[in-house]
Amino acid sequence: QIKDSATLTRDVLEQHFSDLKGTLKKLLDERLMSLLQEVDVIEQESIKPLDECQKLIEHGVSTADDLLREGESAVDGDVGQQNEKLCNFTKKALHIQLDSLPEVPSLVDVPCLSAQLDDCLLTILKNQIFRHGTVASRPPVQLEEFVEKPGGILVRWCKVDEDFIAQDYRLQCRKSPASPFEDVYVGSETEFMVLHIDPNVDYQFRVCARGDGRQEWSPWSVAQIGRTTLVPHEWTTGLEGYSLSSRRNIALRNDSQSCGVLYSKAPTYFCGQTLTFRQTVGQPDRRDSLGVCVEQRSGDDSLQRDKAVCISTNGAVFVNGKEMTNQLPAVTSGSTVTFDMEVVQLGPCSNEGGNFKLRVTISSNNREVVFDWVLDQCCGSLYFGCSFSYPGWKVLVF
């Protein structure tokens, strides 16, 4: 692990700084090109009026030179020609202004280009570069525990660096080493239930954290393998009145007028586990139910019957069809209802049956009730079920 992580860290550092050098060179080249273009623009804009002034002066000098030669020629000719040439020379001289020049800017007004390059940039870059990047011997968070759930894994993690103040955590998962890691959770909690897990298949997990007030994520934890041997909870198919998701772990009460109890496909709930329902609410009814039972039974419209324990959507708790005096809060959209059971055996359990007692804890909206459920037979596993009188209810079970 040490050698592999060291090799990987070297590769990451070399690649990062190689990319950084390429990016810096590109930025410097772009800045140089921008400054050179500024020089070109200033040069062209500043020299244009001076070029025009020079052309005017050269034209005036050339005109004066031509007039001077014409005057000399008029003086050198005979008397008849002199009069005519002198007359023409005089007319031309009167129409040419030899005593005016275009305005020439003073020397201080003429641009003089230069480059200002502040050497403090090198100092700033040097300080930033020497502080850029760190090498951590241990990530600040590590995976702590994997708890098997039916069709899922409850993943827990913890901080191993007490000085690190975490703002958010990021959990990733992949099914095989050949596939990429994908985010399954980002948030402030230190545990998360990963659903849609195939039983008896190894999944790889890793977690990292983001420090308080920071944007970048910490190094990843050591990747660890998690698996579940428990088959996923599924609703039974074919009951009119309920539509199921493709994985059959979500049931939706549809608009059908038929009613009845939707049971699990098999008795997949075992004592010692936590059974969780998460729901989207519809219109409640006092006969609604969420709970567990010993056996499937056709013809019932609710789990408020014998050999079953359940909670109604208004928070009433029923044991073997009798309502308890203790009541839980009404079921709300997005909330969870959980069932936990442990065995407390009263008498000898045999193939013919015997007294059997289960300690049941039902929790809803941060409140719970605890009671003993007495059965006349041993139950190694139980069915779960639900019933709703009106459409709009949707229940996820895990």
Side-chain angles (χ1 to χ4, degrees):
Q1 176 176 313
I2 294 175
K3 288 186 176 181
D4 290 345
S5 62
T7 300
L8 179 61
T9 302
R10 290 188 191 97
D11 293 342
V12 170
L13 288 171
E14 289 173 357
Q15 184 62 48
H16 174 76
F17 277 85
S18 175
D19 294 343
L20 198 60
K21 284 190 285 186
T23 302
L24 285 174
K25 183 180 184 305
K26 181 181 178 182
L27 292 173
L28 288 172
D29 288 344
E30 290 177 355
R31 181 57 179 163
L32 173 60
M33 186 61 64
S34 175
L35 292 173
L36 291 176
Q37 289 175 351
E38 283 188 45
V39 172
D40 292 341
V41 170
I42 295 174
E43 181 186 25
Q44 292 171 6
E45 291 180 349
S46 301
I47 208 167
K48 183 178 179 181
L50 294 177
D51 285 341
E52 293 175 351
C53 183
Q54 182 178 359
K55 289 178 182 178
L56 289 173
I57 293 174
E58 289 176 351
H59 178 71
V61 171
S62 175
T63 302
D65 190 45
D66 292 342
L67 187 62
L68 180 59
R69 284 195 296 270
E70 189 173 339
E72 291 175 347
S73 174
V75 172
D76 293 339
D78 54 32
V79 176
Q81 289 179 337
Q82 279 182 347
N83 291 334
E84 185 179 354
K85 289 183 178 180
L86 284 173
C87 183
N88 292 333
F89 171 77
T90 302
K91 290 179 181 179
K92 188 177 292 185
L94 290 174
H95 290 89
I96 296 177
Q97 294 180 345
L98 299 177
D99 58 348
S100 63
L101 288 172
E103 182 180 359
V104 179
S106 62
L107 191 59
V108 295
D109 295 331
V110 176
C112 180
L113 279 72
S114 63
Q116 285 77 47
L117 302 173
D118 193 348
D119 290 339
C120 73
L121 176 62
L122 294 176
T123 304
I124 296 173
L125 286 176
K126 181 179 178 181
N127 293 334
Q128 291 293 328
I129 288 172
F130 284 166
R131 289 199 301 266
H132 181 67
T134 57
V135 175
S137 60
R138 290 179 178 83
V141 291
Q142 291 284 10
L143 295 167
E144 182 180 29
E145 184 181 17
F146 298 101
V147 181
E148 291 187 49
K149 298 290 183 178
I153 301 174
L154 177 62
V155 184
R156 294 192 175 107
W157 54 90
C158 63
K159 288 197 309 177
V160 293
D161 182 356
E162 293 301 325
D163 296 329
F164 183 82
I165 301 175
Q167 175 179 299
D168 291 306
Y169 298 98
R170 182 181 180 189
L171 179 67
Q172 289 191 335
C173 172
R174 66 180 178 184
K175 191 173 182 178
S176 67
S179 58
F181 277 101
E182 295 182 356
D183 288 347
V184 292
Y185 173 76
V186 176
S188 59
E189 300 295 327
T190 56
E191 66 176 35
F192 181 72
M193 171 70 76
V194 183
L195 298 175
H196 310 318
I197 296 294
D198 295 329
N200 301 307
V201 174
D202 287 341
Y203 287 81
Q204 212 170 28
F205 295 88
R206 66 182 185 180
V207 67
C208 66
R210 180 161 49 197
D212 189 23
R214 304 183 69 88
Q215 294 297 319
E216 70 276 8
W217 292 99
S218 73
W220 290 105
S221 68
V222 176
Q224 295 189 41
I225 300 296
R227 63 156 45 201
T228 181
T229 58
L230 305 175
V231 297
H233 291 317
E234 294 182 13
W235 298 104
T236 191
T237 58
L239 181 64
E240 187 179 357
Y242 292 89
S243 305
L244 305 184
S245 64
S246 59
R247 288 181 174 266
R248 296 179 294 280
N249 60 339
I250 300 176
L252 172 66
R253 180 67 166 94
N254 56 35
D255 295 333
S256 172
Q257 296 300 315
S258 65
C259 60
V261 177
L262 177 66
Y263 292 101
S264 56
K265 180 181 178 182
T268 52
Y269 175 63
F270 296 88
C271 293
Q273 298 176 0
T274 297
L275 178 70
T276 303
F277 299 99
R278 182 178 296 148
Q279 55 281 315
T280 300
V281 301
Q283 181 181 342
D285 185 87
R286 64 181 185 85
R287 294 290 293 169
D288 293 341
S289 60
L290 282 168
V292 296
C293 57
V294 175
E295 59 192 6
Q296 294 179 334
R297 228 163 58 178
S298 60
D300 294 323
D301 62 354
S302 175
L303 284 175
Q304 298 172 19
R305 60 170 176 81
D306 63 332
K307 295 186 178 182
V309 294
C310 67
I311 176 176
S312 176
T313 53
N314 62 8
V317 178
F318 292 85
V319 183
N320 291 330
K322 296 180 180 180
E323 183 176 354
M324 293 182 61
T325 55
N326 293 336
Q327 185 164 333
L328 291 169
V331 174
T332 57
S333 193
S335 66
T336 58
V337 176
T338 62
F339 287 76
D340 291 275
M341 298 188 186
E342 58 179 334
V343 177
V344 182
Q345 192 169 329
L346 291 179
C349 183
S350 64
N351 293 333
E352 290 76 23
N355 291 329
F356 201 65
K357 182 167 68 174
L358 298 177
R359 181 74 41 81
V360 182
T361 302
I362 305 177
S363 302
S364 177
N365 284 323
N366 298 319
R367 288 183 58 188
E368 64 180 30
V369 294
V370 182
F371 56 90
D372 289 337
W373 181 23
V374 179
L375 299 171
D376 59 2
Q377 63 187 44
C378 295
C379 293
S381 59
L382 297 165
Y383 291 89
F384 57 85
C386 69
S387 65
F388 301 102
S389 300
Y390 298 101
W393 289 90
K394 184 167 67 173
V395 181
L396 164 68
V397 60
F398 58 91

